Amino acid sequence: MFNDNKKQQKLEELYTKASGLTRQPGETFEQFEARVKAKDTEVKNTAQLKLNAAQQMYQYCIDNNFGEGMNQKWGVKHFMLIEQSLQSDEEVLMCFIGLHNYISTTKHDNNFAYAITNKRIIMAQQKVVGQVVQSVLLDNLNDVTLNTGAIFGVLTVDTIKEKFNVCVSSRCAKSINDKIHEILLAQQKSKTAPSQIQAVSSADELLKYKNLLDMGVLTQEEFEQKKKQLLGL
C-alpha cells in the first residue's frame, strides 16, 4: 500500500508539472487524472484543428521559418487547396513553402504549399486560372535528401515513381529537412510499434504456457495447440 501511495504521489507531481493543474480538495486521484487527460486531449485537438486550417498552416510556415517568398494572400490560397483535400482522419504534421520542380533559378514551377500528414505529402498551387494538387503516400516515399549552397537549399523527394526537387532559401533548408525527417521517423516507429508489442506479448504467453506444461497443468497436446494459436500456424 505504501508503494502504491508513493507511486500515486509521484504521478500526481508529474501530472501537475506537465499540465499546470493541481488536485482540488476532495478530488480523488482518479478524478484528477481524468481531468488532466481531458485537458491534454483538448489541447491536442485544438492544436490539430489550427494546423489543419489554411490560415494556420501559412502562419506555421512563417513562425517556424519554413519557407519564404510567398505573400499571405497567395499563401493562404495555396494552403486552402491542401485543407480542402484533407480526409476526415488525416492530420497535418508540418508544412512548408518552396519552389516546385526546381531545376534552376529560371526553371521551376514557382511556389507551392507543402504539407506532410500522417498519410502522405500533399503539394498544392493555386493559379490565376486553375490549380495543381499532387500527393505522394508516405508508403511510396523512398527518401528525402538535402543539398545546400550559399543561397539556396534543394530538397529532393525520392518516391517509387519519380523524384522532384523543392528549392528553399539556405537558411530555411536545414530546419525544414530536420523537421521532415523527425516526422518520417516518428511515423515509421508508430507503424512498427504494434507488431513489436504483439511479438513480445506472444512470447510472454508462450513462456507462460510452457511453464504450465512443465508443471503438469497442461498436456503436451494442449501446449502444442496453444502454441499454434499464438504463432498463427
Side-chain angles (χ1 to χ4, degrees), residues 9 13 24 27 33-34 48 71 75 79 82 87 89 99 115 158 162 166 168 172-173 189 194 201 222 231:
Q9 183 180 4
E13 291 173 358
Q24 302 299 315
E27 184 177 40
E33 183 178 42
Q48 193 59 61
N71 63 45
F79 281 113
I82 293 177
Q87 299 173 0
D89 61 342
L99 296 174
D158 182 8
E162 61 181 333
V166 181
V168 297
C172 297
K189 286 182 177 179
S201 177
E222 289 171 330
L231 299 179

Side-chain angles (χ1 to χ4, degrees), residues 47 61-63 101 122-123 126 147 201 210 215 230-231:
C61 294
I62 301 304
D63 292 343
N101 286 333
I122 307 175
M123 303 150 274
Q126 178 65 58
N147 185 16
S201 177
K210 180 62 169 64
M215 293 167 59
L230 289 170
L231 299 179

Side-chain angles (χ1 to χ4, degrees), residues 1-209:
M1 179 64 70
F2 175 77
N3 288 336
D4 288 343
N5 289 338
K6 192 172 182 180
K7 180 180 178 181
Q8 190 178 93
Q9 183 180 4
K10 185 64 176 177
L11 281 172
E12 184 176 333
E13 291 173 358
L14 291 173
Y15 284 152
T16 297
K17 184 177 180 180
S19 67
L21 299 176
T22 56
R23 190 171 170 183
Q24 302 299 315
E27 184 177 40
T28 66
F29 174 76
E30 288 74 17
Q31 290 172 331
F32 173 63
E33 183 178 42
R35 191 156 56 89
V36 170
K37 291 181 178 180
K39 180 182 178 181
D40 181 60
T41 300
E42 181 182 357
V43 169
K44 287 180 179 178
N45 288 343
T46 301
Q48 193 59 61
L49 178 63
K50 288 183 178 179
L51 198 54
N52 276 20
Q55 178 63 51
Q56 282 69 33
M57 279 189 269
Y58 172 79
Q59 193 60 47
Y60 172 90
C61 294
I62 301 304
D63 292 343
N64 290 278
N65 191 32
F66 284 174
E68 300 174 330
M70 183 187 288
N71 63 45
Q72 183 174 5
K73 177 183 176 181
W74 279 99
V76 173
K77 285 184 177 182
H78 296 329
F79 281 113
M80 182 61 72
L81 297 176
I82 293 177
E83 178 184 343
Q84 293 169 350
S85 69
L86 292 173
Q87 299 173 0
S88 60
D89 61 342
E90 197 166 12
E91 302 174 358
V92 174
L93 305 177
M94 72 89 67
C95 45
F96 61 99
I97 298 165
L99 296 174
H100 192 62
N101 286 333
Y102 180 85
I103 298 175
S104 69
T105 54
T106 58
K107 293 183 179 180
H108 52 73
D109 293 340
N110 295 317
N111 277 312
F112 269 57
Y114 301 84
I116 298 182
T117 77
N118 56 319
K119 294 184 175 183
R120 53 186 172 151
I121 300 176
I122 307 175
M123 303 150 274
Q125 182 191 61
Q126 178 65 58
K127 300 175 178 290
V128 176
V129 178
Q131 55 191 226
V132 178
V133 180
Q134 301 171 280
S135 68
V136 176
L137 294 175
L138 296 184
D139 288 342
N140 293 338
L141 183 65
N142 292 328
D143 198 7
V144 177
T145 56
L146 173 63
N147 185 16
T148 57
I151 301 175
F152 299 113
V154 177
L155 294 158
T156 299
V157 181
D158 182 8
T159 76
I160 61 175
K161 291 184 178 181
E162 61 181 333
K163 291 183 180 181
F164 58 89
N165 295 327
V166 181
C167 180
V168 297
S169 71
S170 57
R171 73 187 190 91
C172 297
K174 187 177 185 304
S175 58
I176 294 173
N177 184 64
D178 288 349
K179 187 63 176 178
I180 289 174
H181 282 87
E182 175 188 325
I183 288 173
L184 294 179
L185 182 60
Q187 290 298 110
Q188 185 62 35
K189 286 182 177 179
S190 69
K191 289 181 179 180
T192 57
S195 60
Q196 292 172 347
I197 292 172
Q198 181 62 40
V200 172
S201 177
S202 297
D204 289 342
E205 286 292 301
L206 190 58
L207 180 60
K208 181 181 74 175
Y209 288 121

